[in-house]
mmCIF file of all heavy atoms in Angstrom:
data_model
loop_
_atom_site.group_PDB
_atom_site.id
_atom_site.type_symbol
_atom_site.label_atom_id
_atom_site.label_comp_id
_atom_site.label_asym_id
_atom_site.label_seq_id
_atom_site.Cartn_x
_atom_site.Cartn_y
_atom_site.Cartn_z
ATOM 1 N N ARG A 1 4.184 8.586 26.016
ATOM 2 C CA ARG A 1 5.565 8.465 26.479
ATOM 3 C C ARG A 1 6.510 9.007 25.419
ATOM 4 O O ARG A 1 6.309 8.796 24.224
ATOM 5 C CB ARG A 1 5.896 6.987 26.759
ATOM 6 C CG ARG A 1 7.275 6.757 27.354
ATOM 7 C CD ARG A 1 7.556 5.268 27.524
ATOM 8 N NE ARG A 1 7.656 4.587 26.228
ATOM 9 C CZ ARG A 1 8.063 3.322 26.093
ATOM 10 N NH1 ARG A 1 8.381 2.612 27.162
ATOM 11 N NH2 ARG A 1 8.128 2.775 24.898
ATOM 12 N N ASN A 2 7.533 9.722 25.838
ATOM 13 C CA ASN A 2 8.495 10.275 24.893
ATOM 14 C C ASN A 2 9.113 9.160 24.053
ATOM 15 O O ASN A 2 9.567 8.150 24.583
ATOM 16 C CB ASN A 2 9.608 11.028 25.636
ATOM 17 C CG ASN A 2 9.124 12.349 26.197
ATOM 18 O OD1 ASN A 2 8.176 12.926 25.676
ATOM 19 N ND2 ASN A 2 9.744 12.826 27.263
ATOM 20 N N GLY A 3 9.127 9.367 22.761
ATOM 21 C CA GLY A 3 9.706 8.389 21.851
ATOM 22 C C GLY A 3 8.666 7.581 21.110
ATOM 23 O O GLY A 3 8.901 7.140 19.976
ATOM 24 N N ASP A 4 7.491 7.401 21.715
ATOM 25 C CA ASP A 4 6.449 6.625 21.050
ATOM 26 C C ASP A 4 5.756 7.419 19.946
ATOM 27 O O ASP A 4 5.041 6.840 19.124
ATOM 28 C CB ASP A 4 5.411 6.148 22.070
ATOM 29 C CG ASP A 4 5.968 5.071 22.984
ATOM 30 O OD1 ASP A 4 6.812 4.285 22.515
ATOM 31 O OD2 ASP A 4 5.571 5.019 24.158
ATOM 32 N N ASP A 5 5.970 8.727 19.931
ATOM 33 C CA ASP A 5 5.409 9.509 18.840
ATOM 34 C C ASP A 5 6.007 9.079 17.503
ATOM 35 O O ASP A 5 5.344 9.157 16.458
ATOM 36 C CB ASP A 5 5.622 11.009 19.074
ATOM 37 C CG ASP A 5 7.078 11.344 19.376
ATOM 38 O OD1 ASP A 5 7.759 10.508 19.981
ATOM 39 O OD2 ASP A 5 7.505 12.450 19.014
ATOM 40 N N ALA A 6 7.247 8.594 17.524
ATOM 41 C CA ALA A 6 7.877 8.123 16.290
ATOM 42 C C ALA A 6 7.147 6.902 15.741
ATOM 43 O O ALA A 6 7.043 6.719 14.513
ATOM 44 C CB ALA A 6 9.346 7.787 16.538
ATOM 45 N N VAL A 7 6.635 6.070 16.636
ATOM 46 C CA VAL A 7 5.870 4.894 16.221
ATOM 47 C C VAL A 7 4.590 5.332 15.520
ATOM 48 O O VAL A 7 4.218 4.798 14.467
ATOM 49 C CB VAL A 7 5.522 4.005 17.435
ATOM 50 C CG1 VAL A 7 4.624 2.837 17.020
ATOM 51 C CG2 VAL A 7 6.792 3.488 18.090
ATOM 52 N N LEU A 8 3.933 6.324 16.081
ATOM 53 C CA LEU A 8 2.693 6.830 15.493
ATOM 54 C C LEU A 8 2.968 7.546 14.168
ATOM 55 O O LEU A 8 2.212 7.396 13.199
ATOM 56 C CB LEU A 8 1.997 7.765 16.477
ATOM 57 C CG LEU A 8 1.553 7.112 17.794
ATOM 58 C CD1 LEU A 8 1.105 8.168 18.798
ATOM 59 C CD2 LEU A 8 0.433 6.114 17.539
ATOM 60 N N LEU A 9 4.040 8.306 14.132
ATOM 61 C CA LEU A 9 4.383 9.017 12.895
ATOM 62 C C LEU A 9 4.703 8.046 11.767
ATOM 63 O O LEU A 9 4.450 8.338 10.596
ATOM 64 C CB LEU A 9 5.578 9.943 13.133
ATOM 65 C CG LEU A 9 5.288 11.242 13.883
ATOM 66 C CD1 LEU A 9 6.586 11.922 14.276
ATOM 67 C CD2 LEU A 9 4.431 12.172 13.041
ATOM 68 N N SER A 10 5.250 6.890 12.113
ATOM 69 C CA SER A 10 5.619 5.925 11.077
ATOM 70 C C SER A 10 4.405 5.366 10.356
ATOM 71 O O SER A 10 4.531 4.744 9.291
ATOM 72 C CB SER A 10 6.424 4.774 11.691
ATOM 73 O OG SER A 10 5.610 3.975 12.526
ATOM 74 N N LEU A 11 3.225 5.580 10.932
ATOM 75 C CA LEU A 11 1.996 5.109 10.294
ATOM 76 C C LEU A 11 1.482 6.086 9.246
ATOM 77 O O LEU A 11 0.597 5.743 8.461
ATOM 78 C CB LEU A 11 0.908 4.900 11.358
ATOM 79 C CG LEU A 11 1.215 3.882 12.455
ATOM 80 C CD1 LEU A 11 0.127 3.922 13.515
ATOM 81 C CD2 LEU A 11 1.343 2.486 11.878
ATOM 82 N N LEU A 12 2.048 7.292 9.237
ATOM 83 C CA LEU A 12 1.574 8.322 8.317
ATOM 84 C C LEU A 12 2.323 8.245 6.992
ATOM 85 O O LEU A 12 3.554 8.283 6.975
ATOM 86 C CB LEU A 12 1.756 9.716 8.927
ATOM 87 C CG LEU A 12 1.187 9.925 10.341
ATOM 88 C CD1 LEU A 12 1.374 11.375 10.740
ATOM 89 C CD2 LEU A 12 -0.275 9.517 10.403
ATOM 90 N N PRO A 13 1.625 8.160 5.901
ATOM 91 C CA PRO A 13 2.281 8.096 4.583
ATOM 92 C C PRO A 13 3.228 9.258 4.329
ATOM 93 O O PRO A 13 4.309 9.085 3.782
ATOM 94 C CB PRO A 13 1.098 8.116 3.611
ATOM 95 C CG PRO A 13 -0.033 7.545 4.398
ATOM 96 C CD PRO A 13 0.177 8.037 5.793
ATOM 97 N N SER A 14 2.859 10.461 4.776
ATOM 98 C CA SER A 14 3.695 11.637 4.511
ATOM 99 C C SER A 14 5.036 11.539 5.222
ATOM 100 O O SER A 14 6.044 12.056 4.758
ATOM 101 C CB SER A 14 2.969 12.904 4.965
ATOM 102 O OG SER A 14 2.675 12.844 6.344
ATOM 103 N N PHE A 15 5.064 10.868 6.363
ATOM 104 C CA PHE A 15 6.307 10.723 7.121
ATOM 105 C C PHE A 15 7.249 9.756 6.407
ATOM 106 O O PHE A 15 8.449 9.985 6.304
ATOM 107 C CB PHE A 15 5.999 10.193 8.520
ATOM 108 C CG PHE A 15 7.220 9.928 9.362
ATOM 109 C CD1 PHE A 15 7.916 10.980 9.943
ATOM 110 C CD2 PHE A 15 7.668 8.641 9.562
ATOM 111 C CE1 PHE A 15 9.034 10.742 10.721
ATOM 112 C CE2 PHE A 15 8.789 8.395 10.335
ATOM 113 C CZ PHE A 15 9.470 9.451 10.917
ATOM 114 N N ALA A 16 6.713 8.680 5.895
ATOM 115 C CA ALA A 16 7.551 7.641 5.290
ATOM 116 C C ALA A 16 8.055 8.016 3.897
ATOM 117 O O ALA A 16 8.978 7.393 3.396
ATOM 118 C CB ALA A 16 6.776 6.334 5.201
ATOM 119 N N LYS A 17 7.478 9.032 3.283
ATOM 120 C CA LYS A 17 7.933 9.419 1.952
ATOM 121 C C LYS A 17 9.380 9.884 1.962
ATOM 122 O O LYS A 17 10.048 9.891 0.935
ATOM 123 C CB LYS A 17 7.028 10.528 1.399
ATOM 124 C CG LYS A 17 5.662 10.007 0.953
ATOM 125 C CD LYS A 17 4.774 11.128 0.452
ATOM 126 C CE LYS A 17 3.403 10.584 0.045
ATOM 127 N NZ LYS A 17 2.487 11.656 -0.400
ATOM 128 N N LYS A 18 9.856 10.282 3.157
ATOM 129 C CA LYS A 18 11.249 10.710 3.247
ATOM 130 C C LYS A 18 12.188 9.510 3.279
ATOM 131 O O LYS A 18 13.378 9.638 3.091
ATOM 132 C CB LYS A 18 11.452 11.549 4.514
ATOM 133 C CG LYS A 18 10.656 12.849 4.503
ATOM 134 C CD LYS A 18 10.916 13.624 5.775
ATOM 135 C CE LYS A 18 10.140 14.930 5.777
ATOM 136 N NZ LYS A 18 10.374 15.709 7.005
ATOM 137 N N GLY A 19 11.615 8.343 3.584
ATOM 138 C CA GLY A 19 12.415 7.133 3.656
ATOM 139 C C GLY A 19 12.385 6.410 2.330
ATOM 140 O O GLY A 19 12.129 6.987 1.279
ATOM 141 N N ALA A 20 12.647 5.124 2.401
ATOM 142 C CA ALA A 20 12.654 4.345 1.170
ATOM 143 C C ALA A 20 12.438 2.885 1.519
ATOM 144 O O ALA A 20 12.474 2.481 2.682
ATOM 145 C CB ALA A 20 13.996 4.520 0.451
ATOM 146 N N GLY A 21 12.192 2.118 0.500
ATOM 147 C CA GLY A 21 12.104 0.675 0.665
ATOM 148 C C GLY A 21 10.904 0.236 1.474
ATOM 149 O O GLY A 21 9.805 0.778 1.356
ATOM 150 N N LYS A 22 11.124 -0.767 2.345
ATOM 151 C CA LYS A 22 10.037 -1.399 3.069
ATOM 152 C C LYS A 22 9.320 -0.431 3.999
ATOM 153 O O LYS A 22 8.113 -0.521 4.201
ATOM 154 C CB LYS A 22 10.569 -2.593 3.858
ATOM 155 C CG LYS A 22 11.066 -3.737 2.980
ATOM 156 C CD LYS A 22 11.508 -4.910 3.828
ATOM 157 C CE LYS A 22 11.970 -6.076 2.946
ATOM 158 N NZ LYS A 22 12.414 -7.233 3.763
ATOM 159 N N GLU A 23 10.055 0.500 4.605
ATOM 160 C CA GLU A 23 9.421 1.448 5.528
ATOM 161 C C GLU A 23 8.388 2.292 4.792
ATOM 162 O O GLU A 23 7.275 2.506 5.265
ATOM 163 C CB GLU A 23 10.474 2.347 6.163
ATOM 164 C CG GLU A 23 9.869 3.335 7.164
ATOM 165 C CD GLU A 23 10.905 4.275 7.742
ATOM 166 O OE1 GLU A 23 12.101 4.095 7.450
ATOM 167 O OE2 GLU A 23 10.500 5.185 8.476
ATOM 168 N N LYS A 24 8.734 2.754 3.610
ATOM 169 C CA LYS A 24 7.812 3.570 2.830
ATOM 170 C C LYS A 24 6.611 2.749 2.382
ATOM 171 O O LYS A 24 5.471 3.193 2.459
ATOM 172 C CB LYS A 24 8.528 4.146 1.602
ATOM 173 C CG LYS A 24 7.629 5.006 0.705
ATOM 174 C CD LYS A 24 8.411 5.553 -0.453
ATOM 175 C CE LYS A 24 7.525 6.469 -1.306
ATOM 176 N NZ LYS A 24 6.342 5.757 -1.835
ATOM 177 N N GLU A 25 6.861 1.530 1.951
ATOM 178 C CA GLU A 25 5.776 0.678 1.488
ATOM 179 C C GLU A 25 4.802 0.361 2.621
ATOM 180 O O GLU A 25 3.592 0.325 2.424
ATOM 181 C CB GLU A 25 6.344 -0.628 0.919
ATOM 182 C CG GLU A 25 7.137 -0.435 -0.372
ATOM 183 C CD GLU A 25 7.784 -1.730 -0.823
ATOM 184 O OE1 GLU A 25 7.530 -2.765 -0.174
ATOM 185 O OE2 GLU A 25 8.526 -1.721 -1.811
ATOM 186 N N ALA A 26 5.344 0.123 3.829
ATOM 187 C CA ALA A 26 4.496 -0.206 4.974
ATOM 188 C C ALA A 26 3.568 0.945 5.317
ATOM 189 O O ALA A 26 2.378 0.758 5.551
ATOM 190 C CB ALA A 26 5.360 -0.570 6.172
ATOM 191 N N ALA A 27 4.110 2.163 5.367
ATOM 192 C CA ALA A 27 3.293 3.320 5.710
ATOM 193 C C ALA A 27 2.281 3.628 4.621
ATOM 194 O O ALA A 27 1.149 4.004 4.896
ATOM 195 C CB ALA A 27 4.185 4.534 5.958
ATOM 196 N N ASP A 28 2.679 3.482 3.370
ATOM 197 C CA ASP A 28 1.759 3.758 2.273
ATOM 198 C C ASP A 28 0.584 2.791 2.255
ATOM 199 O O ASP A 28 -0.468 3.101 1.712
ATOM 200 C CB ASP A 28 2.503 3.686 0.932
ATOM 201 C CG ASP A 28 3.389 4.908 0.722
ATOM 202 O OD1 ASP A 28 3.203 5.904 1.442
ATOM 203 O OD2 ASP A 28 4.273 4.861 -0.151
ATOM 204 N N SER A 29 0.771 1.613 2.843
ATOM 205 C CA SER A 29 -0.296 0.618 2.866
ATOM 206 C C SER A 29 -1.059 0.602 4.186
ATOM 207 O O SER A 29 -1.896 -0.262 4.411
ATOM 208 C CB SER A 29 0.284 -0.787 2.602
ATOM 209 O OG SER A 29 1.209 -1.143 3.617
ATOM 210 N N THR A 30 -0.778 1.553 5.065
ATOM 211 C CA THR A 30 -1.468 1.619 6.357
ATOM 212 C C THR A 30 -2.947 1.909 6.136
ATOM 213 O O THR A 30 -3.294 2.856 5.419
ATOM 214 C CB THR A 30 -0.868 2.728 7.242
ATOM 215 O OG1 THR A 30 0.516 2.465 7.451
ATOM 216 C CG2 THR A 30 -1.580 2.765 8.586
ATOM 217 N N PRO A 31 -3.841 1.110 6.729
ATOM 218 C CA PRO A 31 -5.283 1.346 6.570
ATOM 219 C C PRO A 31 -5.667 2.754 7.032
ATOM 220 O O PRO A 31 -5.131 3.244 8.024
ATOM 221 C CB PRO A 31 -5.915 0.278 7.478
ATOM 222 C CG PRO A 31 -4.880 -0.802 7.564
ATOM 223 C CD PRO A 31 -3.556 -0.085 7.544
ATOM 224 N N PRO A 32 -6.564 3.399 6.326
ATOM 225 C CA PRO A 32 -6.979 4.759 6.689
ATOM 226 C C PRO A 32 -7.458 4.879 8.131
ATOM 227 O O PRO A 32 -7.215 5.892 8.790
ATOM 228 C CB PRO A 32 -8.114 5.059 5.702
ATOM 229 C CG PRO A 32 -7.817 4.186 4.522
ATOM 230 C CD PRO A 32 -7.219 2.939 5.077
ATOM 231 N N GLU A 33 -8.145 3.838 8.632
ATOM 232 C CA GLU A 33 -8.635 3.892 10.018
ATOM 233 C C GLU A 33 -7.480 4.003 11.007
ATOM 234 O O GLU A 33 -7.586 4.695 12.022
ATOM 235 C CB GLU A 33 -9.459 2.634 10.339
ATOM 236 C CG GLU A 33 -10.669 2.420 9.442
ATOM 237 C CD GLU A 33 -10.351 1.527 8.248
ATOM 238 O OE1 GLU A 33 -9.178 1.516 7.805
ATOM 239 O OE2 GLU A 33 -11.271 0.858 7.772
ATOM 240 N N LEU A 34 -6.381 3.326 10.703
ATOM 241 C CA LEU A 34 -5.222 3.359 11.591
ATOM 242 C C LEU A 34 -4.502 4.696 11.489
ATOM 243 O O LEU A 34 -4.005 5.227 12.493
ATOM 244 C CB LEU A 34 -4.273 2.209 11.252
ATOM 245 C CG LEU A 34 -3.082 1.988 12.191
ATOM 246 C CD1 LEU A 34 -3.531 1.873 13.638
ATOM 247 C CD2 LEU A 34 -2.306 0.749 11.772
ATOM 248 N N VAL A 35 -4.440 5.246 10.291
ATOM 249 C CA VAL A 35 -3.828 6.563 10.100
ATOM 250 C C VAL A 35 -4.619 7.616 10.883
ATOM 251 O O VAL A 35 -4.036 8.468 11.567
ATOM 252 C CB VAL A 35 -3.790 6.938 8.606
ATOM 253 C CG1 VAL A 35 -3.287 8.380 8.433
ATOM 254 C CG2 VAL A 35 -2.899 5.982 7.834
ATOM 255 N N GLU A 36 -5.945 7.533 10.815
ATOM 256 C CA GLU A 36 -6.786 8.501 11.524
ATOM 257 C C GLU A 36 -6.576 8.395 13.039
ATOM 258 O O GLU A 36 -6.473 9.410 13.736
ATOM 259 C CB GLU A 36 -8.258 8.247 11.201
ATOM 260 C CG GLU A 36 -9.203 9.231 11.894
ATOM 261 C CD GLU A 36 -10.658 8.975 11.556
ATOM 262 O OE1 GLU A 36 -10.946 8.088 10.723
ATOM 263 O OE2 GLU A 36 -11.512 9.659 12.144
ATOM 264 N N THR A 37 -6.483 7.175 13.547
ATOM 265 C CA THR A 37 -6.248 6.981 14.978
ATOM 266 C C THR A 37 -4.892 7.531 15.388
ATOM 267 O O THR A 37 -4.746 8.142 16.456
ATOM 268 C CB THR A 37 -6.339 5.481 15.340
ATOM 269 O OG1 THR A 37 -7.631 4.986 14.990
ATOM 270 C CG2 THR A 37 -6.103 5.275 16.835
ATOM 271 N N ALA A 38 -3.882 7.303 14.555
ATOM 272 C CA ALA A 38 -2.544 7.815 14.841
ATOM 273 C C ALA A 38 -2.560 9.342 14.924
ATOM 274 O O ALA A 38 -1.912 9.939 15.797
ATOM 275 C CB ALA A 38 -1.554 7.346 13.778
#
């Protein structure tokens, strides 16, 4: 569905590096299995 790609992108460490704070920390700590699925 349009818009849900942002949810999946938020799981990628490279995407969150542009952000800061909690959002970046959350993505950087995403388990590799979840990143691969995303």
Side-chain angles (χ1 to χ4, degrees):
R1 185 183 66 171
N2 287 334
D4 289 327
D5 52 328
V7 175
L8 297 170
L9 284 169
S10 69
L11 300 173
L12 308 184
S14 59
F15 177 76
K17 286 178 181 178
K18 296 180 179 180
K22 293 183 178 180
E23 181 183 354
K24 179 179 183 301
E25 292 175 5
D28 286 345
S29 62
T30 301
E33 301 93 331
L34 187 53
V35 174
E36 181 180 356
T37 301

